[in-house]
Amino acid sequence: MNAYDIIIKPVLTEKSFDHVPEKRYTFIVAKNATKTEVKEAVEKIFGVTVDRVNIVNTLGKIKRMGAHQGRRPNLKKAYVTLKEDSKGIEFFDSMGQ
């Protein structure tokens, strides 16, 4: 698998931006990705040094359209913490300004 296949997109929420000063970033990743694969992908794409990766599987929310109900797709989120001496990810730093 390619590094760009593992990291699908960043999570751009208020809660995720609160962790940017601590060098903790949130990404939606492929459902079959492991912590090691996520670490290597982030290091390759952004050129940073990763300290640790935490992964959470989230269930999709139940949504209703009148009498019918369905579920949004399930997601896998990765919380990536960088080492203290590593530079930050410029994409998140420029969004927070």
Side-chain angles (χ1 to χ4, degrees):
M1 237 202 311
N2 185 336
Y4 292 95
D5 294 333
I6 294 172
I7 306 294
I8 295 174
K9 66 181 181 178
V11 176
L12 305 173
T13 61
E14 288 184 34
K15 189 174 181 179
S16 68
F17 280 120
D18 288 343
H19 296 290
V20 169
E22 303 162 11
K23 294 187 179 180
R24 186 170 183 173
Y25 304 96
T26 309
F27 298 96
I28 294 177
V29 297
K31 291 182 180 167
N32 58 351
T34 63
K35 288 183 179 186
T36 307
E37 290 173 339
V38 171
K39 177 180 178 180
E40 292 170 357
V42 170
E43 287 178 347
K44 182 178 178 185
I45 293 171
F46 298 107
V48 295
T49 309
V50 175
D51 184 29
R52 68 176 189 226
V53 176
N54 295 358
I55 291 184
V56 177
N57 286 307
T58 60
L59 284 176
K61 292 170 67 174
I62 294 176
K63 300 301 271 184
R64 284 189 8 195
M65 282 284 228
H68 307 286
Q69 79 177 23
R71 194 178 274 278
R72 286 188 178 167
N74 299 337
L75 297 174
K76 189 174 212 179
K77 285 193 218 175
Y79 295 96
V80 178
T81 306
L82 304 182
K83 291 191 177 182
E84 290 294 323
D85 57 347
S86 176
K87 65 178 179 123
I89 296 176
E90 295 176 17
F91 173 77
F92 284 95
D93 295 338
S94 64
M95 295 289 289
Q97 302 295 324

